[in-house]
Amino acid sequence: MQKEAIAFLRLLSIMDDLREKCPWDRKQTLQSLRPLTLEETYELTEEILKNNPAGIREELGDLLLHIVFYARIMRETQNFGISEIIENLCDKLISRHPHIYGDLELKDEEAVKRNWEKMKVKEGKKGLLDGVPNSLPSLVKAYRIQDKARQVGFEWTDKTQVWDKVQEEIEEFKEATNGGDRTEIESEFGDVLFSLVNYARFIGIDPDFALEKVNQKFKQRFEYMEAHSTEHLSQLSLEEMDRLWNEAKNANIK
């Protein structure tokens, strides 16, 4: 623990130096850092997908720097900083874990999550879904909304019911495409995606993680096609591109 404390104090000291002496760091605000923080977060998730410990360590450090940076700015403008942020976090964690720091008995993970949501409502949340940020990517938001609803029992009882709903939405989407109303088509397509996310969640698959793996697989196979074609892909026939695509698959690019 002492080693971690020394390292953290060193980081705070460096942050003070940068904020006071570096022209770029002096200029930054909450608003200017926000897009950079999002970028760092996605870089971290990419390294997690790769299961790359060295990359995860690097990106966690970059994200930690942003947290310290925000805390320093808030110290300058709002009279609170990293110590208040940490103390507030510690207090919240203790109060929301009465089964650890109190006498409440919760038998499993699901009971813990339900109790967590109840306490957040008591603390001022307007409702169960109030804790789902509007700024989340849509796929992730759908998953979180469904998971929140499940915690109060608003859930299917069997995966066949969930799949039946997927098929129902697909049929409604097909009917909408035949009708030609773009607004209706878009709405029904959204229902298909939402139902597929629900099925993935029900069987224990993270849909965002699964989709990103497919994105990376497609990208690598497409790059293989570009690297192994004797001319620009636009000059090839579909049959020639299919041949290169199958080569990429046979090259074990998964």
Side-chain angles (χ1 to χ4, degrees), residues 25-125:
D25 288 282
R26 281 202 307 265
K27 188 177 180 181
Q28 299 314 304
T29 64
L30 298 179
Q31 290 72 29
S32 68
L33 285 176
R34 179 180 178 276
L36 302 179
T37 306
L38 290 173
E39 182 179 327
E40 296 294 353
T41 302
Y42 280 110
E43 288 177 0
L44 170 60
T45 62
E46 185 172 336
E47 296 303 326
I48 292 173
L49 284 171
K50 295 177 183 175
N51 195 26
N52 178 15
I56 292 171
R57 180 182 63 187
E58 179 79 16
E59 299 305 334
L60 281 172
D62 290 344
L63 203 53
L64 178 58
L65 171 62
H66 278 241
I67 292 171
V68 170
F69 209 150
Y70 285 122
R72 168 65 197 235
I73 293 173
M74 297 310 288
R75 170 66 71 193
E76 297 166 359
T77 59
Q78 300 296 327
N79 198 34
F80 74 83
I82 195 67
S83 60
E84 290 83 2
I85 292 169
I86 294 174
E87 287 296 337
N88 183 71
L89 173 60
C90 290
D91 291 343
K92 181 167 68 174
L93 289 173
I94 290 172
S95 68
R96 289 188 181 175
H97 289 80
H99 54 294
I100 303 297
Y101 301 101
D103 55 7
L104 182 66
E105 293 186 10
L106 299 173
K107 62 180 181 179
D108 55 28
E109 174 193 1
E110 291 306 314
V112 171
K113 291 174 73 173
R114 285 194 298 270
N115 190 63
W116 181 282
E117 294 299 337
K118 288 179 182 177
M119 287 188 290
K120 288 202 291 186
V121 172
K122 288 181 180 179
E123 291 169 4
K125 296 291 184 182

Side-chain angles (χ1 to χ4, degrees), residues 107-162:
K107 62 180 181 179
D108 55 28
E109 174 193 1
E110 291 306 314
V112 171
K113 291 174 73 173
R114 285 194 298 270
N115 190 63
W116 181 282
E117 294 299 337
K118 288 179 182 177
M119 287 188 290
K120 288 202 291 186
V121 172
K122 288 181 180 179
E123 291 169 4
K125 296 291 184 182
K126 296 178 181 177
L128 192 64
L129 301 184
D130 195 38
V132 180
N134 288 326
S135 57
L136 278 179
S138 298
L139 191 66
V140 178
K141 188 191 297 184
Y143 184 94
R144 294 293 294 134
I145 287 173
Q146 294 165 3
D147 188 56
K148 293 276 190 183
R150 176 186 60 83
Q151 293 170 24
V152 295
F154 192 67
E155 175 70 300
W156 301 98
T157 57
D158 185 84
K159 70 177 182 180
T160 57
Q161 296 173 310
V162 192

Side-chain angles (χ1 to χ4, degrees), residues 225 236-247:
M225 292 168 60
L236 301 182
S237 67
L238 182 58
E239 290 75 15
E240 290 170 320
M241 285 190 281
D242 278 340
R243 178 182 58 79
L244 285 170
W245 181 265
N246 288 326
E247 280 185 19

